[in-house]
Amino acid sequence: MKKKFENWIHDTWIISPGGAGLLRIVTALYILFFLIPGNGLDHYKYLSELPDQFFMPPPGPMALFQGFPPLLFFQTLLTLLVISLILLTIGYRTKMVSILSGILILLLQGFIYSVGKVNHEILTGIFPILMAFTNWGAAYSVDSCRQNSTDQTAESWPLTLLALLIGFMMFTAGVPKILGGWLDPSTQAVQGHLFNQYFLRGRDALLATRLVHLDQPLFWEFLDWATILFEIGFLAAVWKRSWFRVFLIFAVFFHYSTMLILNIPFIQNLMLYAAFLNWDLLDRVVSERIGALKFVPGESASHWVPVLIIAITAGSFVLIRYLPAGNSFFYNSDLNLQEVILVHGAMVIVLMILAVKIGRIPSRNRR
Amino acid sequence: MDRKIVKRIFILTILCLILQYGVVGLAGYYHSEPWPAFVFPGFRSVLDFEEGFEISRYELYFIQAGGDTTVITPAELFYGIPDSQRPGFMRRRFGDDAEDLLFTAESREWIKGRVEHMTGYRPEQMVVRELRDYYSHRNNRAVRDSVGVKKKISFNLENGE
């Protein structure tokens, strides 16, 4: 049992320095363009001007503050966060800036949640802190080019720890639903929440308007049960890589349907799920394909690989982030076009993985 | 990192996760959800009401000296608070979870200034109404068939009572 536990910690997920390096670049840019807490500087300006009486921190460390700090404080934190994410992208003093980015995200989230309502995005801040211990600055980074940097191995246990956190947190979402009566066939909870989101919050985009008038108890009850089975089962799936991957695929389907029906995209989680993609395979493909190119006659392009990866990823994210009318694409709903594109992107990746997996089964059988 | 240390980190994390979930439950019951905490949203409530559904919402009435009244939605008055947080803010400030209903002079001034910016006048009184909308199913459609007032609170914005 002791041995099994240790194997689970160290051998469930294996990542190479190259794979971890690619994950670092994509993660840093994803946070930079899509997950910086708050809705821009105007959001923080609004908070800093609120009366102290409207500062209602949740129980925890934020209760040490008496009110919202001045705008300058938020501007400083945001500037530091942007700088640390840029440094994380290029892999300069990677471990330190990973932890700093995470702490800054958590601090900003703490103030945003001090208006009396907590959102559940803590893993956005925890993720870079955890990944700092994978040694994800060992490749595709300034650190790896520095002479003193000889540590070229990657640790995989932070991925197992991340899987455990995701599984546990999913479980915590499932338990209240069971206690609240979601499994009672005479009530349809998902439908009730659709009503709440649709009529109270104006979330009427995508399939919401169509489904708000769909009175099919069997369909809604199926969604109630499926949600609970998925959320509770996630914790058990943490034990085995193959189970967990299946649940990650379910998770993308789950977020996709939640976005279509309730207009809740939860794009933070996509970054977490992406950590369990096969980054080593991507690293091999990138190294072989781009590394084989010769921009200068007689010289390998391998030195340019990190630059190209950053340019391609940042370019794609800039296109999505700054789409014209991206924030006002849906008339009433607070859902924005960027979120819709990102969730669809995750869905496309999952469908591609499924297509590859399903495509392999007949060939295995033939053998 | 040494394998023994990593193993201890895992054991400690597992114990802390279980413990913190208990703390989240207790704190949430007696006060409000703590933060930071490793939990995802529960969406516990079923929002079911006999053959339909009930949904809570707030309306804010601002009365000026002559008696004229303007209705402002929480989304208009507290426009800077994201949609996902506004219902929680209203519950904590004006609902059953409210700890202190009285406004400080700073808060009264902030509200009057904001309403003046929106309507052109400074209100003397504010009335908060917590409403319950009841929806029923008719002909395969959701229809709002009644509205109930759950709570009504008046605030004098001049002296804070």
Side-chain angles (χ1 to χ4, degrees):
Chain A
M1 188 65 193
K2 207 172 150 188
K3 186 83 183 151
K4 266 191 173 177
F5 185 60
E6 281 195 15
N7 288 345
W8 170 68
I9 292 172
H10 294 283
D11 301 333
T12 308
W13 302 98
I14 303 291
I15 195 162
S16 68
L22 291 178
L23 172 63
R24 187 199 74 243
I25 292 170
V26 175
T27 298
L29 290 170
Y30 191 77
I31 297 176
L32 185 62
F33 286 104
F34 305 111
L35 298 184
I36 287 192
N39 300 328
L41 204 55
D42 284 349
H43 187 178
Y44 290 104
K45 187 170 183 290
Y46 184 88
L47 290 180
S48 65
E49 289 169 357
L50 279 178
D52 285 350
Q53 198 179 21
F54 292 167
F55 181 77
M56 297 176 284
M62 297 315 293
L64 294 171
F65 295 89
Q66 300 299 315
F68 290 103
L71 182 60
L72 183 65
F73 176 82
F74 288 126
Q75 285 171 322
T76 309
L77 288 193
L78 283 169
T79 308
L80 282 173
L81 179 57
V82 169
I83 292 170
S84 62
L85 287 171
I86 291 169
L87 294 178
L88 183 60
T89 307
I90 61 169
Y92 179 76
R93 298 198 181 276
T94 312
K95 195 167 198 169
M96 190 190 76
V97 294
S98 299
I99 295 170
L100 181 66
S101 303
I103 292 170
L104 289 168
I105 289 170
L106 291 174
L107 198 53
L108 287 168
Q109 284 181 343
F111 282 110
I112 290 171
Y113 302 157
S114 293
V115 292
K117 167 71 171 65
V118 164
N119 283 350
H120 302 85
E121 299 153 344
I122 186 174
L123 287 183
T124 308
I126 295 294
F127 184 62
I129 296 175
L130 263 185
M131 290 301 114
F133 297 94
T134 58
N135 196 15
W136 64 351
Y140 300 123
S141 63
V142 175
D143 286 348
S144 64
C145 300
R146 289 158 75 196
Q147 283 182 338
N148 292 339
S149 180
T150 51
D151 186 8
Q152 295 291 327
T153 57
E155 298 253 15
S156 301
W157 63 264
L159 284 171
T160 313
L161 195 56
L162 177 68
L164 175 67
L165 292 178
I166 295 172
F168 184 83
M169 291 172 75
M170 284 290 185
F171 181 79
T172 66
V175 171
K177 291 186 179 74
I178 296 174
L179 298 176
W182 275 52
L183 297 178
D184 180 352
S186 65
T187 61
Q188 281 72 49
V190 173
Q191 190 185 24
H193 283 285
L194 168 62
F195 273 57
N196 195 28
Q197 301 294 334
Y198 187 90
F199 292 107
L200 188 64
R201 302 188 187 183
R203 289 177 170 162
D204 57 1
L206 305 174
L207 293 184
T209 303
R210 236 166 228 280
L211 291 178
V212 83
H213 299 303
L214 179 71
D215 190 20
Q216 294 292 340
L218 266 182
F219 169 76
W220 294 112
E221 196 56 30
F222 165 76
L223 291 186
D224 289 358
W225 279 72
T227 303
I228 287 175
L229 286 175
F230 158 71
E231 289 179 340
I232 296 290
F234 224 123
L235 185 57
V238 168
W239 188 244
K240 259 192 124 173
R241 186 176 53 197
S242 54
W243 298 350
F244 196 73
R245 282 202 164 134
V246 169
F247 269 80
L248 288 176
I249 289 171
F250 286 158
V252 174
F253 277 98
F254 172 74
H255 290 300
Y256 187 71
S257 58
T258 308
M259 181 187 75
L260 292 181
I261 299 171
L262 302 176
N263 293 185
I264 301 173
F266 229 70
I267 58 168
Q268 302 82 2
N269 278 25
L270 302 181
M271 172 180 76
L272 311 174
Y273 306 152
F276 299 96
L277 287 172
N278 192 342
W279 291 95
D280 292 354
L281 178 69
L282 190 64
D283 175 42
R284 281 198 296 277
V285 172
V286 164
S287 305
E288 285 166 16
R289 298 277 162 84
I290 302 180
L293 296 175
K294 286 186 171 54
F295 297 142
V296 180
E299 193 181 315
S300 161
S302 58
H303 287 91
W304 292 96
V305 170
V307 179
L308 281 172
I309 296 289
I310 291 172
I312 292 167
T313 312
S316 317
F317 287 171
V318 164
L319 280 179
I320 298 170
R321 179 72 181 82
Y322 298 104
L323 273 171
N327 287 327
S328 53
F329 189 78
F330 301 105
Y331 184 65
N332 279 325
S333 179
D334 57 345
L335 190 68
N336 65 49
L337 192 55
Q338 294 92 326
E339 293 166 331
V340 174
I341 291 171
L342 291 172
V343 178
H344 273 92
M347 193 65 184
V348 168
I349 292 171
V350 160
L351 291 176
M352 281 166 61
I353 291 169
L354 282 176
V356 170
K357 291 279 175 197
I358 292 166
R360 271 184 192 170
I361 293 167
S363 60
R364 270 186 197 159
N365 289 345
R366 276 199 296 274
R367 264 180 243 152
Chain B
M1 199 181 280
D2 185 70
R3 286 174 87 95
K4 269 189 182 167
I5 296 174
V6 173
K7 195 174 150 188
R8 281 180 195 150
I9 291 173
F10 270 78
I11 292 170
L12 199 69
T13 305
I14 291 168
L15 292 175
C16 286
L17 284 175
I18 297 166
L19 190 71
Q20 66 104 35
Y21 193 38
V23 173
V24 168
L26 283 175
Y29 183 78
Y30 288 108
H31 189 269
S32 62
E33 188 179 328
W35 187 90
F38 289 97
V39 289
F40 276 144
F43 290 102
R44 177 188 169 128
S45 48
V46 173
L47 305 167
D48 193 52
F49 180 75
E50 293 171 4
E51 295 299 303
F53 298 91
E54 56 173 79
I55 289 167
S56 288
R57 69 184 164 92
Y58 289 86
E59 270 181 358
L60 309 172
Y61 294 79
F62 290 94
I63 302 159
Q64 54 182 306
D68 287 348
T69 304
T70 308
V71 185
I72 293 178
T73 63
E76 289 166 325
L77 187 67
F78 302 108
Y79 72 95
I81 297 175
D83 290 353
S84 63
Q85 291 183 290
R86 204 176 300 113
F89 170 81
M90 293 302 291
R91 261 197 316 275
R92 277 288 295 277
R93 192 65 203 90
F94 304 106
D96 294 337
D97 300 344
E99 288 160 15
D100 179 14
L101 283 172
L102 291 177
F103 281 124
T104 60
E106 184 195 19
S107 302
R108 292 200 303 271
E109 199 49 46
W110 185 90
I111 291 170
K112 284 193 279 188
R114 179 86 196 108
V115 174
E116 186 178 18
H117 178 74
M118 290 167 70
T119 63
Y121 73 84
R122 286 174 77 79
E124 289 192 343
Q125 201 183 348
M126 174 185 181
V127 177
V128 180
R129 293 207 313 166
E130 186 181 351
L131 305 170
R132 280 279 156 89
D133 290 340
Y134 298 98
Y135 288 84
S136 62
H137 297 138
R138 274 183 231 144
N139 305 325
N140 225 15
R141 286 186 160 262
V143 180
R144 186 168 72 182
D145 56 12
S146 67
V147 182
V149 181
K150 193 194 167 204
K151 198 173 181 182
K152 184 178 168 183
I153 321 164
S154 292
F155 299 97
N156 187 325
L157 294 174
E158 294 301 311
N159 59 21
E161 287 173 1

